[in-house]
Amino acid sequence: MSKIEKDLESVLKHDPAARSRLEVILTYGGFHALVMYRFAHFLHRHRYKLLARIVSQIAKFFTGIEIHPAAVIGSGVFIDHGAGVVIGETAVVGDNVLIYQGVTLGGTGKDKGKRHPTIEDNVMISAGAKVLGPFTVGRGAKIGAGSIVLKEVPPNATVVGVPGRVVRIDGERVDDCCQSLPDPMGDEICKLTKRVEELERLLNVKNDIDE
């Protein structure tokens, strides 16, 4: 079975709204984007790089999905409601990966060479998630909607939040104390809380003096 056939089967498997192969072939933008990507990738590998980029931009115009022709994408991939999906030049996507609308597999602008993530098999990346940097998202992982993932994700982990943090591995809850990802928003809230407590203490001291 070809990669395109596996992509088609993946749509039918994961989308209950898909009633037939013909419907998917005619109406599913995510499937169209993958078909055009595979043609552009073929051109890119055979050194027709400008033509490959033109094909990818045509696909972006018609589907709203931008996949660089140099990216490596496995079989059985399903891009559901794919508007706004961006997959960068050095990204690697494994087999049977689910990608929802607004997902970015991008870089941080700080790396050279391999700049984009590697997504292993059977990963699900929910709507609006951003996976940024040259690290690996392990097999079977799930990325929550709107998450921003900046560091490696273990296999079978669930990641949520901004920045992304692992909350489950193999279905078991992970202690937040074990998290190593920075949380600038949480840090700012802690600083503001301490400042409010300090001001309340000073206010109470002043009231005691006035009395």
Side-chain angles (χ1 to χ4, degrees), residues 69-188:
V72 178
I73 299 180
S75 60
V77 174
F78 178 27
I79 302 177
D80 191 15
H81 301 290
V85 168
V86 177
I87 300 177
E89 178 182 11
T90 62
V92 178
V93 178
D95 297 336
N96 306 311
V97 172
L98 273 64
I99 299 174
Y100 290 88
Q101 68 270 21
V103 166
T104 299
L105 305 181
T108 61
K110 300 177 182 179
D111 302 293
K112 296 181 179 180
K114 179 77 165 75
R115 307 185 306 280
H116 304 98
T118 295
I119 311 298
E120 294 189 341
D121 298 348
N122 304 307
V123 169
M124 183 186 76
I125 309 177
S126 299
K130 313 300 178 187
V131 186
L132 308 175
F135 54 85
T136 298
V137 175
R139 186 185 190 92
K142 294 180 174 63
I143 309 298
S147 300
I148 298 180
V149 184
L150 302 173
K151 290 189 176 182
E152 188 154 334
V153 177
N156 302 312
T158 300
V159 175
V160 299
V162 180
R165 65 188 189 280
V166 176
V167 294
R168 290 183 182 273
I169 297 178
D170 292 322
E172 298 293 327
R173 186 177 295 276
V174 174
D175 188 349
D176 286 340
C177 294
C178 297
Q179 298 299 314
S180 60
L181 290 174
D183 187 358
M185 186 175 294
D187 292 343
E188 288 301 317

Side-chain angles (χ1 to χ4, degrees), residues 39-51:
F39 177 53
H41 186 64
F42 172 84
L43 293 173
H44 183 86
R45 286 193 296 108
H46 288 80
R47 301 183 182 277
Y48 297 103
K49 294 185 178 181
L50 176 59
L51 184 56

